[in-house]
Amino acid sequence: MPTGLVALLDDIAGITKLAAASLDDIAATTGKAGSKAIGVVVDDAAVTPRYMVGFEPKRELPMIGKIALGSFRNKLVFILPAALALSAFAPWLLTPLLMIGGTYLCFEGAEKILEAFGGGHAEEVVAEPVDAATLEAQKVSGAIRTDFILSAEIMVIALSDVATKPIWEQAIVLALVGIVITIGVYGVVALIVKMDDIGLHLAQRSSAVVQAIGRGLVKGMPIVMSALSVIGTAAMVWVGGQIIVHGIEEFGFTALPHWIHDTAEAASHAVPFAKGAVNWVMNAFFSGTVGLILGGAIALGLHAVKKPKAH
């Protein structure tokens, strides 16, 4: 009897260790998969605060809550099952879909750059005035639609990193990526949106130091928003270009990817004390250049097509 009990306890201990190892592996894989989508995550955090502009402060957090719930629904109800079905039945579609998403990111990033230099979208038709509740519903709906596109890209990027794992592990990793990223993004968005209110509250306190911090937050928020927009745009172009470069390498067109890799390696050897950083910067620079050229070509082409012809 003791022998059987000891054997049973040994088996339980072994299973526990295996489960713990599996959980550690899933956690590591989740972190790695999520980190690959960082460019899209930054853009997601940069885009959403724009939907809050013009609303009363008391409506900002409820709106963010509605958008976050929509984001959870996008990722876990719609995109996750579709991604698992893709992995199970048509894994060969993963690279083409990633490249389509990467091309979209390149286009969006290049479009924002063109807008900054005065070559943006055509004049939009002025909408009829609506009541505050309807406008809020429209803004939330628009933000959720935008989130769906970015969420799909995040989940597909994450899926590409776990495509060889068992389907159950893919499901856990994608679900964790979706949950963690959504909480992180909309937590940051809430903090960004309310930062000026926090600053105003601190500026009214009795302590001179606290008042100075509050005034600094209020004055600094436009700079933060501007910097976040720039970082988001750069991240879109870089991540999109990197996806394209990896994609064409997957399809056997290795000349450009190998050149980028070799050039980055040569540059990193020239600065041995910061080899890893230089390698990353060079790869990001060349990937971003590819993304900017591709996205710029698409954006300029679309502008040329939409431009009214002179009579």
Side-chain angles (χ1 to χ4, degrees):
M1 181 67 180
T3 303
L5 178 59
V6 170
L8 177 61
L9 291 175
D10 284 342
D11 288 342
I12 292 173
I15 293 171
T16 302
K17 290 179 181 178
L18 181 61
S22 297
L23 289 173
D24 287 342
D25 186 45
I26 289 171
T29 304
T30 301
K32 184 180 177 184
S35 67
K36 286 194 171 184
I38 190 64
V40 193
V41 172
V42 170
D43 188 66
D44 204 354
V47 166
T48 306
R50 300 175 189 175
Y51 289 94
M52 308 295 115
V53 175
F55 289 93
E56 295 181 14
K58 66 180 181 180
R59 294 306 309 156
E60 291 172 345
L61 290 181
M63 288 177 69
I64 292 171
K66 291 177 182 178
I67 297 168
L69 286 176
S71 181
F72 278 121
R73 186 169 60 249
N74 285 341
K75 292 182 179 73
L76 302 180
V77 177
F78 300 121
I79 299 171
L80 176 58
L84 294 177
L86 173 69
S87 177
F89 301 110
W92 53 270
L93 271 176
L94 184 58
T95 297
L97 287 176
L98 271 173
M99 293 183 72
I100 291 171
T103 301
Y104 172 78
L105 289 177
C106 294
F107 162 71
E108 280 292 300
E111 184 81 338
K112 290 180 182 180
I113 293 171
L114 287 175
E115 286 177 18
F117 286 95
H121 297 289
E123 293 272 341
E124 293 184 1
V125 178
V126 178
E128 292 293 327
V130 295
D131 62 89
T134 302
L135 181 60
E136 178 177 319
Q138 290 175 349
K139 288 290 186 179
V140 169
S141 178
I144 292 173
R145 285 196 300 271
T146 300
D147 174 271
F148 185 89
I149 297 170
L150 296 172
S151 292
E153 190 65 17
I154 288 169
M155 297 292 271
V156 172
I157 290 172
L159 177 62
S160 69
D161 205 52
V162 295
T164 58
K165 302 287 185 180
I167 195 72
W168 64 268
E169 189 169 334
Q170 292 180 30
I172 294 174
V173 168
L174 291 182
L176 288 175
V177 167
I179 291 169
V180 171
I181 283 180
T182 301
I183 292 173
V185 165
Y186 290 100
V188 170
V189 168
L191 184 62
I192 290 172
V193 168
K194 302 306 292 183
M195 190 64 73
D196 52 351
D197 293 337
I198 295 172
L200 286 172
H201 176 73
L202 293 178
Q204 296 170 357
R205 302 298 291 271
S206 58
S207 170
V209 175
V210 175
Q211 288 179 4
I213 294 173
R215 288 192 294 269
L217 289 175
V218 173
K219 292 179 180 178
M221 277 315 298
I223 299 173
V224 171
M225 291 298 294
S226 179
L228 194 58
S229 179
V230 171
I231 293 169
T233 300
M236 290 180 82
V237 174
W238 159 55
V239 172
Q242 189 177 57
I243 291 170
I244 296 301
V245 171
H246 288 169
I248 62 176
E249 187 173 20
E250 287 284 327
F251 284 113
F253 301 97
T254 58
L256 177 60
H258 285 180
W259 180 84
I260 291 175
H261 174 74
D262 292 343
T263 305
E265 276 291 314
S268 66
H269 285 303
V271 190
F273 60 88
K275 186 176 178 180
V278 172
N279 192 298
W280 185 91
V281 168
M282 294 300 292
N283 271 291
F285 172 77
F286 288 122
S287 295
T289 302
V290 170
L292 186 59
I293 292 172
L294 175 61
I298 296 171
L300 291 173
L302 289 176
H303 288 174
V305 170
K306 293 179 180 179
K307 188 176 181 181
K309 295 182 180 179
H311 295 289

